[in-house]
Amino acid sequence: MHHGIDVLRVFCAPDGRYGNELGVVRDGSRVPEQADRQALAAKLGFSETVFVDDPERGAVDIYTPSTRLRFAGYPCVGAAWLLDVPELVTAAGVVEAHQDGEFSWIVARADWAAERSLRRYASAAEVEALAVPPEGVGAPPTPLGQWGRVYAWAWEDEAAGRVRARGFPGRGDGITEDEATGAAALQLTHELGRALNITQGRGSQLLTAPGPDDFIELGGRVTFPRQPSLV
């Protein structure tokens, strides 16, 4: 049994709903081995779980239920908000962080994230109508193609930079759709070269803005969906 696991919702809508749930183990020293961290992340079952190795330096270690990640967007936004630090140290690099009113922001590079297929659709309605593709090797083709790491998107209002998106991680670990995917938002922003206001999943909101040297700002609202967990 592990105490000290906080559960956050990251990239909430303006009314506080939605957002992707994130597990944060504040004292990573309690679970020092990577194999044990992976097992705990699988047990918790969130899209991602963060282990805080040094809260003052902002050193973090990120896991999905099935793999360790060098960097991920929504875990960094959530951890930065929870720890209230000016930067996070990830395996991919140092992530700057700051708070601005109701939004928590990080600054990172799109190429730090795992690759995925950014698939554009003609309308937001087409994105919303997509069925979750079947999971597993050899699954039959769907409108998304074979099962894989896909970020489906369409313009809601191109002039205003408003995007409708859904994310299908395709890792085979039980997470068939991500409510909000910060890494994909960074990659889409890098590809389009402009600031975006993204609505993903049921209604989560992600904001981005490109900066110098291929760094991109990524921001959103973070809340506690419930009291800190005991697992």
Side-chain angles (χ1 to χ4, degrees):
M1 306 295 283
H2 296 276
H3 299 262
I5 300 174
D6 289 292
V7 181
L8 313 179
R9 280 193 291 113
V10 184
F11 297 126
C12 299
D15 62 5
R17 294 187 298 163
Y18 310 119
N20 206 358
E21 285 199 326
L22 172 71
V24 182
V25 182
R26 288 196 190 228
D27 183 3
S29 66
R30 297 182 59 136
V31 192
E33 300 299 327
Q34 287 190 13
D36 293 334
R37 292 182 175 192
Q38 186 65 77
L40 179 56
K43 180 180 179 181
L44 291 171
F46 300 120
S47 291
E48 277 138 39
T49 297
V50 176
F51 295 83
V52 180
D53 289 322
D54 187 332
E56 293 184 0
R57 291 179 55 239
V60 296
D61 195 19
I62 305 169
Y63 291 77
T64 73
S66 58
T67 191
R68 182 174 182 255
L69 300 177
R70 298 173 62 246
F71 164 82
Y74 99 89
C76 286
V77 171
W81 176 86
L82 183 65
L83 300 176
D84 192 20
V85 291
E87 65 183 28
L88 297 173
V89 180
T90 72
V94 176
V95 177
E96 294 183 12
H98 67 276
Q99 309 295 319
D100 181 10
E102 63 183 314
F103 293 98
S104 177
W105 294 88
I106 63 168
V107 181
R109 293 174 59 97
D111 59 10
W112 289 352
E115 292 186 9
R116 70 201 69 226
S117 174
L118 304 177
R119 197 163 301 175
R120 181 178 177 180
Y121 287 80
S123 68
E126 286 188 43
V127 172
E128 291 168 359
L130 289 171
V132 176
E135 186 171 2
V137 176
T142 72
L144 289 171
Q146 294 289 348
W147 177 257
R149 190 182 295 269
V150 174
Y151 191 67
W153 71 278
W155 290 113
E156 283 190 316
D157 184 336
E158 185 171 358
R162 291 175 51 221
V163 167
R164 182 71 174 98
R166 292 173 66 192
F168 306 98
R171 296 185 300 256
D173 57 13
I175 306 298
T176 57
E177 180 170 357
D178 268 328
E179 175 60 28
T181 314
L186 291 173
Q187 291 170 335
L188 184 61
T189 301
H190 177 74
E191 180 173 288
L192 298 177
R194 57 178 295 184
L196 300 176
N197 182 342
I198 300 170
T199 300
Q200 185 178 337
R202 296 171 300 160
S204 299
Q205 184 181 30
L206 305 85
L207 303 178
T208 68
D213 301 322
D214 288 332
F215 280 90
I216 298 169
E217 283 191 289
L218 170 68
R221 302 173 189 84
V222 185
T223 66
F224 284 111
R226 53 180 179 266
Q227 293 298 314
S229 295
L230 171 63
V231 176

